[in-house]
């Protein structure tokens, strides 16, 4: 029995210390270089406004914007304001997140006047939820109140729909 135990121990040591060496092959062939393929894309490739990809913090921020921008407007108008922000996130000419779109320079009056910092009402929160779940969004990138707008540029946009006092345009 001692001899078998000694043999197993020796085999374990020999097998355990066995080292495998990899062979390297050298070629005189030059290394291939990687090239990038340029692809022109008009819209972003994946839907970043899918509810799964929007942080809770951004949902709350969007609700505060909707509350400030569409206070006193019909519910449909509140949903449409949220959809405009979500459409901008999806569009190639705008930033990639809700937060970046909202805080884009001169994009929304409530950011400039501080109204964005006020809490959102229940109706604004519900409107954002509905906008996130709505697959038939209005295809607009802008909205404005024609009675109070001061930018001549906004009047050059094609109005698609009017809801309450807001004109929704592309």
């Amino acid at each position: 029995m001692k001899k078998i135990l000694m043999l197993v121990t020796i085999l374990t040591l020999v097998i355990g210390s066995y080292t495998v060496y990899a062979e390297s092959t050298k070629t005189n062939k030059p290394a291939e270089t990687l090239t990038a393929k340029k692809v022109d894309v008009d819209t972003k490739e994946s839907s970043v406004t899918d509810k799964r990809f929007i942080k809770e913090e951004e949902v709350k921020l969007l609700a505060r914007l909707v509350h400030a921008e569409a206070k006193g407007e019909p519910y449909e108008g509140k949903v449409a304001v949220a959809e405009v922000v979500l459409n901008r996130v999806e569009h190639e000419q705008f930033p990639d997140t809700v937060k970046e779109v909202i805080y884009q320079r001169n994009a929304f009056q409530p950011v400039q006047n501080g109204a964005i910092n006020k809490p959102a009402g229940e109706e604004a929160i519900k409107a954002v939820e509905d906008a996130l779940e709505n697959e038939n969004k209005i295809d607009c990138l802008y909205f404005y109140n024609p009675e109070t707008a001061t930018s001549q540029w906004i009047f050059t946009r094609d109005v698609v729909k009017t809801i309450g006092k807001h004109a929704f345009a592309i």
Side-chain angles (χ1 to χ4, degrees):
M1 185 67 158
K2 267 184 162 182
K3 288 183 182 182
I4 293 176
L5 185 59
M6 175 101 72
L7 181 61
V8 169
T9 305
I10 291 172
L11 285 174
T12 304
L13 289 172
V14 170
I15 292 172
S17 64
Y18 183 72
T19 306
V20 176
Y21 295 97
E23 283 187 37
S24 67
T25 58
K26 283 198 167 195
T27 63
N28 292 333
K29 189 175 166 183
E32 294 181 27
T33 57
L34 295 176
T35 56
K37 180 179 176 184
K38 185 177 180 194
V39 178
D40 292 327
V41 179
D42 289 339
T43 58
K44 295 172 187 167
E45 289 184 28
S46 66
S47 177
V48 292
T49 58
D50 186 316
K51 194 170 185 177
R52 296 170 295 173
F53 300 116
I54 295 181
K55 300 175 188 172
E56 186 64 28
E57 162 193 324
E58 289 186 314
V59 172
K60 291 177 181 177
L61 177 65
L62 181 54
R64 291 196 322 261
L65 178 76
V66 168
H67 180 81
E69 283 282 7
K71 197 172 189 177
E73 292 294 314
Y75 183 75
E76 181 187 6
K78 288 176 172 64
V79 174
V81 166
E83 289 175 348
V84 164
V85 174
L86 298 174
N87 289 343
R88 287 185 182 191
V89 173
E90 292 287 337
H91 196 275
E92 65 158 353
Q93 293 177 345
F94 292 92
D96 296 333
T97 67
V98 169
K99 184 176 181 179
E100 290 172 330
V101 165
I102 290 173
Y103 285 109
Q104 189 175 21
R105 187 175 178 188
N106 298 324
F108 298 102
Q109 188 69 30
V111 173
Q112 296 170 340
N113 66 22
I116 189 83
N117 299 315
K118 295 181 181 171
E122 290 298 318
E123 194 171 51
I125 294 167
K126 177 78 172 110
V128 169
E129 290 172 0
D130 285 350
L132 285 167
E133 293 173 6
N134 188 4
E135 293 181 13
N136 300 317
K137 295 179 187 164
I138 60 166
D139 291 329
C140 296
L141 295 172
Y142 308 99
F143 67 91
Y144 63 97
N145 182 333
E147 294 175 16
T148 61
T150 57
S151 167
Q152 290 304 311
W153 176 85
I154 197 67
F155 291 108
T156 66
R157 311 312 323 162
D158 292 328
V159 174
V160 174
K161 191 171 193 175
T162 301
I163 305 171
K165 295 181 181 176
H166 282 147
F168 292 85
I170 52 175

